[in-house]
């Protein structure tokens, strides 16, 4: 439902942002194997040095597809409230990851359950920094 609502509102909202008030953004990555653009709705977590996304995949045993895409091709585009931004994904670690994770839990407590489910893998946090050419 997020994609049609996103189109109808010209990129300003998704279903989740309208109903739950969550800051869902549209992330466009380049397919790791296909090289084709892939757009997915993800929770955008404001961070001091950019926007962060958490590759939880609802706590499933595997990382989401967009995780693999960003690892292979870190350059991406994100649409936030209708504004298109070119970004470069960097894996957040250490204190940076801890801060972003805490903010993610504040915004969406469900990440805690996802972390328990995915105990066999670390849920990766990406910081989407402004691209050098942006």
């Amino acid at each position: 439902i997020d994609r049609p609502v996103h189109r109808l509102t010209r990129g300003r909202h998704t279903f989740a942002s309208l109903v739950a008030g969550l800051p869902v953004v549209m992330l466009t990555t380049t397919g790791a194997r296909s090289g084709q653009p892939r757009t997915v709705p993800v929770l955008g977590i404001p961070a001091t040095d950019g926007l962060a996304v958490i590759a939880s995949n609802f706590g499933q045993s595997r990382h989401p597809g967009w995780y693999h895409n960003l690892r292979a091709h870190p350059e991406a585009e994100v649409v936030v409230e209708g504004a298109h931004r070119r970004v470069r994904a960097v894996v957040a670690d250490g204190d940076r990851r801890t801060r972003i994770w805490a903010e993610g839990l504040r915004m969406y407590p469900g990440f805690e359950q996802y972390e328990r489910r995915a105990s066999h893998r670390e849920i990766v946090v990406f910081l989407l920094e402004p691209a050098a050419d942006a």
Side-chain angles (χ1 to χ4, degrees):
I1 295 177
D2 280 320
R3 290 176 196 195
V5 171
H6 188 259
R7 267 194 311 276
L8 289 171
T9 63
R10 293 186 175 94
R12 288 185 301 276
H13 299 287
T14 64
F15 180 75
S17 71
L18 288 173
V19 173
L22 293 172
V24 176
V25 299
M26 298 304 275
L27 175 67
T28 300
T29 62
T30 300
R33 287 184 277 180
S34 71
Q36 298 298 308
R38 304 289 184 217
T39 303
V40 294
V42 294
L43 183 64
I45 301 164
T48 54
D49 7 14
L51 185 71
V53 292
I54 296 177
S56 68
N57 203 20
F58 309 100
Q60 294 181 22
S61 61
R62 294 192 172 122
H63 295 292
W66 58 265
Y67 159 89
H68 300 288
N69 296 348
L70 287 179
R71 294 300 296 228
H73 306 284
E75 299 77 24
E77 183 177 277
V78 66
V79 180
V80 180
E81 296 177 350
H84 292 251
R85 300 180 192 165
R86 299 226 8 94
V87 295
R88 181 169 179 81
V90 177
V91 174
D93 54 11
D95 290 342
R96 179 187 264 181
R97 183 191 187 281
T98 301
R99 282 192 316 275
I100 294 168
W101 183 259
E103 181 61 19
L105 285 174
R106 189 189 68 70
M107 294 172 70
Y108 181 68
F111 282 131
E112 188 173 354
Q113 183 176 359
Y114 298 165
E115 187 175 40
R116 280 195 302 271
R117 275 192 224 151
S119 61
H120 56 281
R121 70 171 175 93
E122 180 182 43
I123 294 178
V124 175
V125 174
F126 287 100
L127 183 64
L128 305 177
E129 299 174 334
D133 64 349

